[in-house]
Amino acid sequence: QKEVEQDPGPLSVPEGAIVSLNCTYSNSAFQYFMWYRQYSRKGPELLMYTYSSGNKEDGRFTAQVDKSSKYISLFIRDSQPSDSATYLCAMKHSGNTPLVFGKGTRLSVIA
Amino acid sequence: DAGVIQSPRHEVTEMGQEVTLRCKPISGHDYLFWYRQTMMRGLELLIYFNNNVPIDDSGMPEDRFSAKMPNASFSTLKIQPSEPRDSAVYFCASRLPSGGGNEQFFGPGTRLTVL
């Protein structure tokens, strides 16, 4: 079992839909949780960052972490065609350790 | 700042040839990471450096791969000899010192094709 599991999709939704992206993980030592967005032929860029459990909201994006279930989610409200990208979850144990990435979910928002 | 700079952006080579990928991290960042991305395996960490010193190279697939960081502003990833299964996008990323932030900043990647 990989440390981080993420459904690769692809996921296709109409404009304005609510999108839910998820990752599960096996290592209970993970404390830092991130979502990166990667547009086609570009490098990943940090979208959301959460420490430990709880929710974090930034505009149309909400990140949730449930450490008891080893499950993290990213919600996108009022999705736009510009949200079409690959979304990668990432996590790590502590400040000095490298990130472990999921394989990414490819999202298409259709106008 | 120009961000993380990688060169070349695209590389097409024949099996058996030596390939050298280059990276310039963001000034002031003391962590540097090399990743490989494929559809099958996703984004895999190959090696990372802290203050120019390799910390963990357990992700390097085999002895054909080597990486160096001779100074704080330059790193190379070399594949010798290259094989078709090395075809992938190779990313370099850098990060501030611990306590200065958790975000890894990625370069645009080098798309490598080995024929």
Side-chain angles (χ1 to χ4, degrees):
Chain A
Q1 179 191 9
K2 285 183 66 89
E3 275 195 295
V4 180
E5 299 279 359
Q6 184 176 9
D7 186 337
L11 181 62
S12 184
V13 301
E15 182 177 357
I18 296 173
V19 176
S20 173
L21 305 169
N22 312 292
C23 287
T24 59
Y25 61 95
S26 58
N27 192 333
S28 58
F30 287 140
Q31 296 188 69
Y32 298 81
F33 303 91
M34 301 174 192
W35 286 94
Y36 277 75
R37 180 173 60 193
Q38 184 178 19
Y39 289 115
S40 180
R41 300 192 174 256
K42 301 286 188 183
E45 295 177 308
L46 182 65
L47 184 63
M48 298 283 286
Y49 159 65
T50 309
Y51 172 70
S52 193
S53 284
N55 295 358
K56 186 171 185 178
E57 188 173 321
D58 184 2
R60 295 183 297 110
F61 299 88
T62 300
Q64 287 185 352
V65 175
D66 182 350
K67 291 189 71 179
S68 62
S69 301
K70 299 191 183 69
Y71 187 87
I72 69 170
S73 301
L74 177 71
F75 296 95
I76 307 174
R77 290 184 301 279
D78 188 24
S79 56
Q80 303 295 310
S82 59
D83 296 328
S84 298
T86 296
Y87 291 80
L88 301 103
C89 62
M91 48 200 79
K92 63 178 180 177
H93 307 162
S94 64
N96 289 335
T97 56
L99 288 170
V100 179
F101 282 85
K103 291 180 72 172
T105 300
R106 191 152 55 96
L107 171 68
S108 294
V109 181
I110 310 301
Chain B
D1 200 322
V4 176
I5 298 172
Q6 291 187 247
S7 65
R9 293 295 308 277
H10 302 274
E11 177 81 27
V12 180
T13 190
E14 292 190 346
M15 182 174 64
Q17 297 298 305
E18 177 179 297
V19 175
T20 299
L21 311 181
R22 297 172 175 80
C23 175
K24 176 177 167 54
I26 294 172
S27 177
H29 287 193
D30 68 354
Y31 280 88
L32 184 139
F33 306 84
W34 281 101
Y35 290 87
R36 178 172 68 177
Q37 187 176 42
T38 61
M39 289 289 290
M40 287 294 292
R41 301 175 69 89
L43 197 62
E44 299 175 285
L45 178 65
L46 300 177
I47 184 172
Y48 76 100
F49 296 83
N50 179 220
N51 289 320
N52 313 337
V53 175
I55 303 301
D56 184 352
D57 65 354
S58 60
M60 297 286 260
E62 48 199 276
D63 292 346
R64 298 185 297 106
F65 286 69
S66 62
K68 294 182 179 179
M69 191 164 187
N71 58 63
S73 58
F74 183 66
S75 177
T76 59
L77 178 67
K78 185 175 293 186
I79 309 172
Q80 166 64 14
S82 58
E83 296 183 3
R85 60 191 167 123
D86 301 332
S87 297
V89 182
Y90 291 81
F91 287 102
C92 175
S94 69
R95 202 193 80 196
L96 285 166
S98 179
N102 288 290
E103 181 176 359
Q104 288 180 198
F105 293 81
F106 283 79
T110 295
R111 185 171 297 270
L112 173 65
T113 302
V114 183
L115 302 173

